[in-house]
Amino acid sequence: MTDPIRDLWASQPIAPLRLSPEELGRRARHLDRRVRRRNALEYGAGAIPILVFGAMAIAPVEPLMRLAAVVIVLGVLVVVCGIHRRAGASRAEDWAAPILDHHRAQLVRQRDALGSVWRWYLAPLVPGLVLLFASVWRNVHDTAGASAATARIIPPVLIAAIVFAGIHWLNRVAARRLTRAIAALDRRS
Amino acid sequence: MSRDNPPSEAPRDRLYTEAAEAFGPALARLARAVERDPERARDLEQDIHLALWRSLDGFAGDCALATWTYRVAHNVAASHAARGARTAPFVGLDAIAEFPAPDDPERAAGTAQALDRLRALIARLTPADRSVILLYLEGLDARQIGEITGLTTNYVGVKVHRIKALLSRRFTPGDQP
């Protein structure tokens, strides 16, 4: 017995793509070049703070400021490595996995990346920032006293805390949404 | 040497040619169903072919070539759809019954309009329901759909039953020329 809807579906006027293996190879290499360029741009963004704080680390500044610059550079390197590791996991996707398994693996990977943003994206920058604020506080303290130093340091500390907390909170909300999506997927399979 | 030019290139190329020959039309229909913009649908179809060709390096014959091909194609399509799903959230098959009918019933009388409506319906579905309905439309049975999606055959059977009921309600034979 024929199914009119299936017949309708099969009757679509389409012209399937015809690609030779040579053409696919060429397109694959083109795609790889684009991915490498995009990655270079992303890592290039990390190079800016490395250059700025790297220059500060070798400049004639006081030792605490120099230490802060070195620790910030190390923190940025840890963040860039984290981005690189997660991009690698994304490229290693098993496209031939059953659809639900593949979809679930994608959601889990995204959930884990978002849920751990504090650990791999924010925390590595905290020690350097704390040292930087301490260095600024001490410099002001030496010239204007403790009250002036504290007044000077509170606004940037507050701004940094709010920005970090905001990034953490937004990512946790997104991770929780993905956890619910994973649970819904598990219930139906 | 590049991963895309291994010494044993021939088996992958032979498998790809076989798969493209047998399932090329289904891959094109999948791309059109997931991406409504014709140019982007063509890009998606190309992405599917590229992912399929690359994936076939790992094909060891543990499943049928058809199963492998449909899995890769639907996974690529689902990733594409997920990237574009920010403005219109997906809905389950059960919620589709609530969709409004076309404003002008006469306009829906042609094949093209019926296909448009069908594609619009499919594009709104969750990835799993979308795959089930598309594989059903491609003529696959519940066992094959289960193998491709990872859903149990019984679950797919229930879904297919609902799909048939939904489609017979929404797309009566009068919709076609």
Side-chain angles (χ1 to χ4, degrees):
Chain A
M1 196 176 76
T2 61
D3 181 330
I5 302 293
R6 279 177 164 174
D7 291 345
L8 170 71
W9 186 250
S11 73
Q12 292 182 58
I14 48 142
L17 206 57
R18 299 275 177 209
L19 294 171
S20 68
E22 292 74 26
E23 174 65 9
L24 283 162
R26 196 184 63 74
R27 291 183 190 213
R29 286 189 293 277
H30 177 69
L31 183 66
D32 287 346
R33 274 198 301 276
R34 271 179 45 198
V35 170
R36 278 198 297 273
R37 272 201 297 272
R38 194 192 60 203
N39 288 346
L41 271 176
E42 283 177 5
Y43 301 144
I48 295 169
I50 288 173
L51 285 174
V52 169
F53 287 100
M56 191 189 285
I58 56 172
V61 293
E62 58 121 355
L64 188 56
M65 182 74 84
R66 183 172 297 160
L67 178 65
V70 170
V71 174
I72 286 176
V73 167
L74 290 175
V76 173
L77 285 173
V78 171
V79 171
V80 170
C81 285
I83 292 172
H84 180 71
R85 200 167 51 244
R86 274 156 186 84
S90 172
R91 281 194 296 274
E93 278 185 61
D94 179 8
W95 291 102
I99 294 165
L100 278 190
D101 294 355
H102 182 265
H103 185 47
R104 190 181 191 285
Q106 274 191 334
L107 294 180
V108 168
R109 199 174 52 248
Q110 289 165 9
R111 190 264 319 265
D112 291 349
L114 295 174
S116 62
V117 149
W118 170 251
R119 202 172 61 241
W120 66 271
Y121 190 79
L122 300 175
L125 302 174
V126 170
L129 284 176
V130 169
L131 287 170
L132 187 67
F133 291 141
S135 164
V136 171
W137 184 90
R138 204 171 73 172
N139 284 344
V140 180
H141 173 267
D142 290 348
T143 56
S147 301
T150 305
R152 166 83 171 77
I153 209 70
I154 281 177
V157 167
L158 272 180
I159 289 170
I162 289 168
V163 168
F164 273 49
I167 293 172
H168 174 62
W169 180 77
L170 286 173
N171 281 283
R172 285 300 293 269
V173 167
R176 276 200 291 273
R177 186 171 46 77
L178 288 168
T179 298
R180 285 196 296 274
I182 292 164
L185 211 57
D186 289 344
R187 278 196 298 276
R188 66 192 304 171
S189 56
Chain B
M1 181 171 284
S2 161
R3 186 179 178 274
D4 296 313
N5 292 298
S8 57
E9 201 173 39
R12 173 169 72 172
D13 292 350
R14 181 179 51 73
L15 283 166
Y16 167 74
T17 306
E18 191 183 324
E21 190 68 36
F23 309 109
L27 303 187
R29 286 191 287 267
L30 168 65
R32 286 293 304 279
V34 171
E35 177 55 62
R36 301 193 74 190
D37 177 77
E39 219 166 284
R40 294 183 64 187
R42 204 62 171 171
D43 289 344
L44 171 59
E45 191 183 353
Q46 182 188 303
D47 290 347
I48 291 171
H49 278 263
L50 200 52
L52 173 63
W53 179 69
R54 285 185 138 162
S55 75
L56 285 167
D57 256 350
F59 182 75
D62 296 335
C63 64
L65 184 59
T67 302
W68 183 281
T69 303
Y70 278 121
R71 281 178 179 173
V72 173
H74 279 255
N75 285 333
V76 173
S79 293
H80 175 90
R83 285 195 292 273
R86 301 285 182 265
T87 50
F90 297 135
V91 296
L93 198 55
D94 300 330
I96 287 291
E98 308 294 328
F99 274 33
D103 294 338
D104 181 354
E106 284 190 3
R107 268 182 51 81
T111 302
Q113 284 78 14
L115 277 168
D116 272 352
R117 288 173 55 209
L118 188 51
R119 288 199 200 102
L121 180 151
I122 291 167
R124 293 294 314 277
L125 290 172
T126 58
D129 283 352
R130 186 193 311 125
S131 288
V132 172
I133 199 168
L134 283 167
L135 293 166
Y136 164 76
L137 288 170
E138 289 297 339
L140 276 68
D141 62 30
R143 186 192 57 76
Q144 291 170 302
I145 296 173
E147 201 177 341
I148 293 163
T149 56
L151 293 163
T152 64
T153 305
N154 282 344
Y155 186 91
V156 173
V158 171
K159 280 282 173 194
V160 166
H161 180 74
R162 283 186 194 162
I163 289 166
K164 282 180 175 172
L166 171 70
L167 294 181
S168 64
R169 269 201 319 273
R170 307 283 303 156
F171 299 94
T172 60
D175 282 351
Q176 295 173 71

